[in-house]
Amino acid sequence: MSEFLNVPEAASPAPHSPGVSVRHTRAKGEPRFPDGPKADPAGSHFERRIRSFQPRRSRVTAGQADALQRLWPTWGLDIDGQRVIDLRELFGNDRPVVLEIGFGMGEATAQMAAADPDTNILAVDVHTPGQGNLLGLADRDGLSNVRVGNGDAIILLREMLTPDALDGLRVYFPDPWPKKRHHKRRLIQPEFLTLAATRLRPGALVHCATDWEPYAEQMLEVLTAHPDFENTQADGGFATRPAFRPLTRFEGQGLDKGHVVNDLLFRRVPHQDRADRAGQAREPLQDR
């Protein structure tokens, strides 16, 4: 759905109640949510890069619009690449912070936040209805450990977070870009992992999940080959879905249809361990 809406000049504002649709008189070009997420926070010309996502401006319900308008100034973050953020200031405490990239409508994020109130979740997406829905769920359930980021997670990681700022990274059901010519758009690539490693503390958990088996195989291959990460599974394979990742309704429907969901759990390798592993990898070459 477009972020701009033209309404005839004769329209007049109606009394506002949360969850009730309201049509405001707006001048041409005036943003739909004046205090809400920006349509393109980093600017269209921030950089030229193949992106792993496409903004989806689908219909925003009255309840989602109300949550965006009321809660974005407090719990929202526009990813503009113009400043480095202090996560302690953003959340109002110094608890561990996990970055979640792509949260859909936010139901699973809200469940995880409720189950683990001592962990802060910075959830990033570009889907306006999902942003509103997650804010509404957090408000309804009193989840003060959720913040919603709007924009490109790459810009957030590269420009706005300090080294070792994060205690975890979650990427659940990212766009699989199934066509071969689109594989370059997939998020889990060596370059992304190298960037993410600079923002993850040693020992931080990277948790990915996908129902697209070819993408799962690629994720496993790329993560296994990266020197900054190690598989938590002794056999070097996929992990059983951990209890802290909720089984969503969408995922359950897929499982009922025979879809296979694979979880990957890798840890950020401490710098010394990385050096030791690199040395071990070189030893056979030195012996030859």
Side-chain angles (χ1 to χ4, degrees):
M1 183 174 189
S2 173
E3 289 300 290
F4 302 97
L5 180 64
N6 295 328
V7 182
E9 293 296 329
S12 58
H16 177 250
S17 299
V20 177
S21 180
V22 178
R23 292 177 65 85
H24 296 278
T25 301
R26 283 188 291 272
K28 183 178 180 180
E30 184 178 349
R32 183 173 182 206
F33 306 111
D35 299 319
K38 305 297 185 295
D40 188 9
S44 299
H45 304 292
F46 189 87
E47 64 182 346
R48 293 182 180 274
R49 173 168 50 84
I50 295 174
R51 300 186 187 279
S52 63
F53 63 88
Q54 289 182 328
R56 295 172 294 148
R57 302 298 177 187
S58 53
R59 189 177 72 88
V60 177
T61 68
Q64 294 161 0
D66 173 71
L68 287 167
Q69 192 64 37
R70 290 188 299 109
L71 302 172
W72 191 262
T74 304
W75 288 351
L77 171 69
D78 275 311
I79 300 171
D80 56 14
Q82 301 302 311
R83 66 198 189 284
V84 175
I85 60 174
D86 184 334
L87 292 177
R88 289 176 297 180
E89 181 179 341
L90 181 67
F91 285 94
N93 58 61
D94 60 357
R95 294 170 185 162
V97 178
V98 171
L99 173 64
E100 182 177 357
I101 300 177
F103 55 80
M105 295 305 291
E107 292 96 341
T109 305
Q111 291 181 52
M112 291 187 288
D116 186 9
D118 291 328
T119 295
N120 296 323
I121 301 177
L122 175 53
V124 175
D125 209 311
V126 294
H127 188 217
T128 309
Q131 293 165 351
N133 200 61
L134 178 53
L135 286 171
L137 292 171
D139 185 42
R140 183 196 68 185
D141 298 336
L143 305 177
S144 61
N145 58 331
V146 174
R147 298 293 181 271
V148 179
N150 169 50
D152 190 340
I154 300 294
I155 293 175
L156 173 70
L157 286 164
R158 194 184 62 209
E159 309 290 344
M160 300 179 68
L161 294 178
T162 58
D164 297 346
L166 300 171
D167 290 87
L169 173 65
R170 296 168 180 168
V171 183
Y172 299 153
F173 304 99
D175 193 327
W177 294 103
K179 295 180 180 179
K180 186 174 182 180
R181 69 176 183 271
H182 291 156
H183 286 184
K184 60 189 175 183
R185 295 183 177 274
R186 290 176 172 176
L187 179 63
I188 304 302
Q189 306 276 6
E191 297 80 5
F192 169 77
L193 293 175
T194 297
L195 172 61
T198 66
R199 302 301 184 247
L200 290 164
R201 292 192 177 99
L205 187 68
V206 174
H207 184 193
C208 302
T210 180
D211 60 349
W212 192 262
E213 291 186 78
Y215 195 10
E217 294 289 347
Q218 179 189 326
M219 288 182 178
L220 181 61
E221 179 181 348
V222 172
L223 277 160
T224 300
H226 201 286
D228 287 323
F229 299 97
E230 62 181 2
N231 200 332
T232 63
Q233 306 305 297
D235 63 359
F238 297 110
T240 302
R241 178 179 65 86
F244 66 79
R245 183 176 75 77
L247 181 67
T248 65
R249 179 170 54 86
F250 175 81
E251 182 181 355
Q253 291 172 347
L255 291 172
D256 290 341
K257 296 175 182 177
H259 296 182
V260 175
V261 175
N262 286 297
D263 285 72
L264 301 95
L265 293 169
F266 279 70
R267 290 198 182 277
R268 171 73 164 88
V269 176
H271 298 295
Q272 185 57 46
D273 288 357
R274 175 181 176 178
D276 292 344
R277 289 172 64 190
Q280 293 170 4
R282 287 194 298 268
E283 283 177 4
L285 295 176
Q286 294 170 351
D287 292 341
R288 283 201 293 265

